[in-house]
Amino acid sequence: MKNLQITGRFNIQEGKTEDFKKIVSQCIAITKAKDKDTMQYDWFFNHDGSKCVVREIFKDSDAAVEHLNNLGDLINQLLEVADYSPEIYGNPSQEFLNAAAGFLPKVYSC
């Protein structure tokens, strides 16, 4: 499988949901404007806005690295208001694994 699928789970700090949503809006705008090979980028919130799941599919590892680079500091801003736990599905390149290592992802390969 060349495509990479990522499920990211966020636990948003109490009282920070609106801040989180503003940052998410910026992430979505940048992804639409700059990413070339992001195939899915959908955000879902639970009923009270305390949890969020992002579903991402990238053409390949290079596209996932490009996405991280395009988001830049916005990722750090998300992590200031939420805890993050990613799962990666597919066969990521070592470059992508190195770029994502700080997030301590769970990786499920084919």
Side-chain angles (χ1 to χ4, degrees), residues 59-97:
K59 178 182 172 188
D60 54 26
S61 290
D62 290 341
V65 170
E66 175 190 55
H67 175 72
L68 289 175
N69 290 335
N70 287 340
L71 292 183
D73 188 54
L74 289 174
I75 295 169
N76 293 328
Q77 292 178 38
L78 288 171
L79 297 176
E80 288 175 7
V81 296
D83 295 323
Y84 177 59
S85 176
E87 297 174 350
I88 300 169
Y89 305 93
N91 297 308
S93 69
Q94 192 59 52
E95 178 185 11
F96 177 69
L97 290 174

Side-chain angles (χ1 to χ4, degrees), residues 1-50:
M1 172 190 290
K2 194 171 182 180
N3 291 348
L4 282 186
Q5 298 181 31
I6 299 173
T7 298
R9 300 179 194 284
F10 292 90
N11 289 316
I12 303 166
Q13 296 171 12
E14 189 172 335
K16 297 293 185 176
T17 300
E18 290 309 312
D19 294 338
F20 184 87
K21 287 183 176 182
K22 287 177 186 174
I23 300 165
V24 167
S25 293
Q26 293 175 54
C27 291
I28 292 169
I30 287 173
T31 297
K32 286 181 180 179
K34 293 186 174 184
D35 286 11
K36 295 179 190 126
D37 293 315
T38 297
M39 301 164 66
Q40 178 182 351
Y41 193 59
D42 297 319
W43 295 77
F44 303 92
F45 290 85
N46 69 341
H47 70 284
D48 67 1
S50 65

